[in-house]
Amino acid sequence: MSTPSPHGRSRIAALAVALAAVSTLALAACGDDSGDSSSSSATPTAPDTASFSGNAASALASVEASVRAKASERAASASAAASSFEASVSAETERANEAARTELAKVDGQGNAMSEVTMTGKPRSTTGGLLAVVVTITNKTDRTASYAVQVDFLDSSGKTVETRYVGAEDLKPGEKAQPLAVSRKPAEPVLTPKLAKAQRY
C-alpha cells in the first residue's frame, strides 16, 4: 500500500474535524436547554382514564334533560294558547252570527246592503268536504256600520234546505270582513249557496 502524500493527509485531517463537529452538533440537538437530555427521550403516555369520575358527563346529561323538559313545556303551553285563541275566535264568530240572525228577523225583503256583499266558494279539499262560501262584506259608506247576512243553500229544484247567518260588526268606512257560511248538510245531494239578505245597521 502506498503512503498518502502530504496533501492527501491534510484532506483526511479536515474530513475528520468536520465529522467531529457534526457529531457534536447532533449530541447538542438531543439535549434541552437545561442540559438534561433524558427528558427529550421520554415517551408521552396516555392519560389514566381510571382516574376520571364521570361527573362531567352526568352534569351534561342533566342539563340536556332539563333543556328538553323546558322545550316540551313551552311547546305544550303554545299549543294550549293556540287552542284557547281558536276557541275564542269561534265564540266571537258565533256571537256575531247570532246577532246577524236577530237583526235579519226584523228585515222585510232583501235588506239595504246587498250591493256591499259578495260570495266566493271554497274548494271542498280545504274544508274537509263541507260546502263553504266566503262572504265578503265591504262597508261602502262613510261611517262605521255593522252587517248581517243570510245565505240560503238550495237543492236542485231551487228549494231552500238550509239557511246560515253570518255577520260583521263595527266595520269602518272601506273596511272588509270575510266570515264563512258553512253548510252542515251532507255532500250529496249537491246544494247551491244563494245570497238571500244583507242588512247594514
Side-chain angles (χ1 to χ4, degrees), residues 80-146:
S83 297
S84 177
F85 176 74
E86 184 179 6
S88 69
V89 170
S90 297
E92 180 64 20
T93 299
E94 286 300 321
R95 191 191 66 75
N97 292 352
E98 188 57 34
R101 178 200 293 266
T102 300
E103 189 63 30
L104 286 173
K106 312 171 189 175
V107 176
D108 292 327
Q110 292 185 317
N112 62 9
M114 292 289 285
S115 64
E116 296 174 70
V117 179
T118 61
M119 296 194 309
T120 306
K122 285 185 69 68
R124 288 181 184 265
S125 60
T126 65
T127 63
L130 296 175
L131 174 59
V133 292
V134 179
V135 180
T136 301
I137 304 168
T138 305
N139 183 356
K140 297 181 180 180
T141 72
D142 58 358
R143 68 180 190 277
T144 299
S146 296

Side-chain angles (χ1 to χ4, degrees), residues 1-192:
M1 182 187 307
S2 61
T3 303
S5 65
H7 180 66
R9 287 195 296 271
S10 298
R11 294 182 62 186
I12 292 173
L15 287 173
V17 170
L19 287 174
V22 170
S23 298
T24 302
L25 289 173
L27 289 174
C30 291
D32 58 15
D33 293 340
S34 63
D36 181 7
S37 62
S38 62
S39 61
S40 64
S41 63
T43 302
T45 57
D48 183 7
T49 56
S51 64
F52 293 171
S53 66
N55 290 337
S58 299
L60 286 175
S62 177
V63 169
E64 183 179 1
S66 177
V67 169
R68 287 182 178 178
K70 290 185 181 298
S72 178
E73 289 175 6
R74 284 195 296 269
S77 178
S79 178
S83 297
S84 177
F85 176 74
E86 184 179 6
S88 69
V89 170
S90 297
E92 180 64 20
T93 299
E94 286 300 321
R95 191 191 66 75
N97 292 352
E98 188 57 34
R101 178 200 293 266
T102 300
E103 189 63 30
L104 286 173
K106 312 171 189 175
V107 176
D108 292 327
Q110 292 185 317
N112 62 9
M114 292 289 285
S115 64
E116 296 174 70
V117 179
T118 61
M119 296 194 309
T120 306
K122 285 185 69 68
R124 288 181 184 265
S125 60
T126 65
T127 63
L130 296 175
L131 174 59
V133 292
V134 179
V135 180
T136 301
I137 304 168
T138 305
N139 183 356
K140 297 181 180 180
T141 72
D142 58 358
R143 68 180 190 277
T144 299
S146 296
Y147 291 82
V149 178
Q150 176 181 323
V151 178
D152 290 341
F153 291 91
L154 314 178
D155 63 15
S156 58
S157 68
K159 177 184 177 182
T160 299
V161 297
E162 185 181 19
T163 297
R164 304 294 293 166
Y165 301 92
V166 296
E169 298 180 323
D170 300 324
L171 290 185
K172 296 177 181 178
E175 189 176 5
K176 291 183 179 181
Q178 292 185 307
L180 284 176
V182 182
S183 171
R184 295 177 182 172
K185 296 293 184 181
E188 297 293 340
V190 177
L191 301 179
T192 302

